[in-house]
Amino acid sequence: MSPTPAKPGGTRIPSRRTVLRGAFTAAVVTGTAGALSPLLDRDPAVAARSAPAPGPGSGSGSRATTEEFAEMYRGREIRGTATVVVPAGAPADDRVAVAAEPVTEIRIDGRPLHVMRRADGTYLSDVRHYESYPTLLETARAAVDELGTARLAPPPAHHM
C-alpha cells in the first residue's frame, strides 16, 4: 500500500478510509445524542407532576408509592391506580422507584384499559397507543376522548 500522497507544500491528504471513519463516528455520536436528548432534557415540572405520592405501604419492610384517581370525565367514570413497590433494604433513592415497574390499573365505566409504562416514565394505552402522557389520569382522559360514545371491549375470558 502506498503512503498518503502529499500536497505541494508538504501537507498530507487524508485517505478515503480516514474520511469515512470520521463521518461514521460523527453520525453515531449525533444519533446517540438525538436518542438520549428526550431523557436528558426532561422538564423538571413534568417529572414532579408525574412522580407518585407516598402510599400506605411506606412503613417498615417494603416502601410503596401510589398514584390514584377517581372522577367523572365527559360522562364516563374513570378510576386508576399505579403502585410501585420498592423492596426493603433498597436505597431511599428516586432512581430505585423509577426503575421498578409499577402495577397499573385504569377502568373506564368498570372495564379495564390496558396501560403500559414507557422507559421515560410516561404512559400509553391500547386506545391511544401512538401518544404518551405523563400521568395515568391524562392517559385515561385521552382514552375517553378517543373512545367518544363507544365502550371498551370486555376483558377476554380466560380458558383453563
Side-chain angles (χ1 to χ4, degrees):
M1 185 164 139
S2 65
T4 305
K7 285 183 176 179
T11 60
R12 299 182 80 164
I13 300 171
S15 69
R16 180 174 182 261
R17 177 178 291 169
T18 304
V19 171
L20 289 175
R21 185 180 301 145
F24 176 76
T25 302
V28 168
V29 169
T30 303
T32 302
L36 292 178
S37 67
L39 296 175
L40 300 175
D41 291 340
R42 189 167 178 198
D43 185 10
V46 172
R49 197 173 62 211
S50 65
S58 60
S60 63
S62 63
R63 299 184 314 269
T65 56
T66 305
E67 176 185 347
E68 290 185 22
F69 61 89
E71 72 174 27
M72 290 297 289
Y73 179 73
R74 296 191 177 201
R76 310 294 277 278
E77 178 190 22
I78 56 175
R79 295 180 175 274
T81 60
T83 305
V84 178
V85 178
V86 180
D93 187 325
D94 288 339
R95 290 176 294 170
V96 174
V98 170
E101 183 67 28
V103 177
T104 59
E105 180 181 48
I106 292 181
R107 291 188 173 271
I108 299 176
D109 295 331
R111 292 188 173 180
L113 172 68
H114 182 69
V115 177
M116 296 155 279
R117 187 163 187 198
R118 294 174 39 118
D120 64 358
T122 59
Y123 297 94
L124 57 99
S125 71
D126 280 350
V127 175
R128 296 282 306 249
H129 60 272
Y130 51 86
E131 191 170 350
S132 59
Y133 302 91
T135 65
L136 281 177
L137 179 58
E138 291 179 45
T139 306
R141 287 177 178 169
V144 168
D145 292 342
E146 186 73 22
L147 284 169
T149 58
R151 291 182 51 129
L152 283 172
H158 294 287
H159 297 286
M160 301 237 173

